[in-house]
Amino acid sequence: WLRGKRALALWDELARIAFWLTEADSYKLAAWCDRQADFEIATRRKAWTAADRREHRSLGSELGLDPSSRARLGTEQRAPKKDAADKYF
């Protein structure tokens, strides 16, 4: 149910490199991808409220998409998956 090509591209990219995510994270990841794709369009980003920005930042942190949240989650560095189609998570 991802909206648009950019959201789908973000999904594929993160499914490949974010090895710590599991199937249980899939709905939250989809929501983050949709929001990020929306944020990348300047005219849409201008309409975002402070609450929209907090929600997006919070989703990213919960998913471990920034260094401090990855450290808190205890993820270890490892090579990204070669192909997102191998297994989403």
Side-chain angles (χ1 to χ4, degrees), residues 21-35:
L21 297 176
T22 68
E23 189 174 347
D25 300 310
S26 62
Y27 289 105
K28 193 172 284 191
L29 179 61
W32 185 89
C33 290
D34 262 346
R35 298 293 289 160

Side-chain angles (χ1 to χ4, degrees), residues 43-60:
T43 55
R44 292 185 185 172
R45 182 175 53 246
K46 288 178 183 177
W48 278 32
T49 65
D52 292 327
R53 292 173 189 272
R54 280 191 304 272
E55 178 185 333
H56 185 57
R57 187 174 31 249
S58 177
L59 273 172

Side-chain angles (χ1 to χ4, degrees), residues 25 63 67-68 88:
D25 300 310
L63 291 166
S68 62
Y88 277 116

Side-chain angles (χ1 to χ4, degrees), residues 6 11-12 17 20 23 27 30 34 36-37 48 60-62 65 67 69-71 79 82-84 86:
R6 180 61 182 147
W11 171 276
D12 286 341
I17 64 174
W20 59 88
E23 189 174 347
Y27 289 105
D34 262 346
Q36 179 63 27
W48 278 32
S61 290
E62 290 172 17
L65 300 183
S69 62
R70 279 193 302 281
K82 290 183 181 179
D83 184 13
D86 290 345

Side-chain angles (χ1 to χ4, degrees), residues 72 74 78 85:
R72 190 175 58 252
R78 74 178 200 205

